[in-house]
Amino acid sequence: MQSTSVRIDGATHQEIKKLASALGATVGDTVALAVRRLRQELIGNDLRGGLTDDETRWLDADLG
């Protein structure tokens, strides 16, 4: 697995280590999980938004 470094403050690093320990996971896996959950939250927020006019017209189109 290729890796890279990300600079974070000490308090954040300690919090990630605590979360990793609670999850029984590595720090890297915990960060990956957090990133995935944030991405899912953004997708969910986008889906909760209203439809655009084009989307509404497409959904209301007569298919017959």
Side-chain angles (χ1 to χ4, degrees), residues 1-2 6 9 11 13 18-19 26-28 30 35 37 41 44 52-53 56 62:
M1 173 174 85
Q2 186 176 357
V6 177
D9 62 80
H13 184 254
K18 286 182 200 175
L19 289 168
T26 66
V27 168
T30 302
V35 168
R37 288 190 178 175
E41 184 177 332
T52 66
D53 290 340
T56 301
D62 182 12

Side-chain angles (χ1 to χ4, degrees), residues 3-61:
S3 67
T4 188
S5 296
V6 177
R7 292 192 178 273
I8 57 173
D9 62 80
T12 301
H13 184 254
Q14 288 302 314
E15 189 63 30
I16 293 170
K17 285 174 57 176
K18 286 182 200 175
L19 289 168
S21 178
L23 293 169
T26 66
V27 168
D29 287 343
T30 302
V31 171
L33 178 62
V35 168
R36 180 179 178 171
R37 288 190 178 175
L38 284 169
R39 186 179 311 117
Q40 289 172 338
E41 184 177 332
L42 290 173
I43 291 168
N45 289 340
D46 188 42
L47 290 172
R48 279 192 293 278
L51 297 174
T52 66
D53 290 340
D54 284 342
E55 291 168 330
T56 301
R57 280 191 295 277
W58 184 83
L59 289 170
D60 290 341

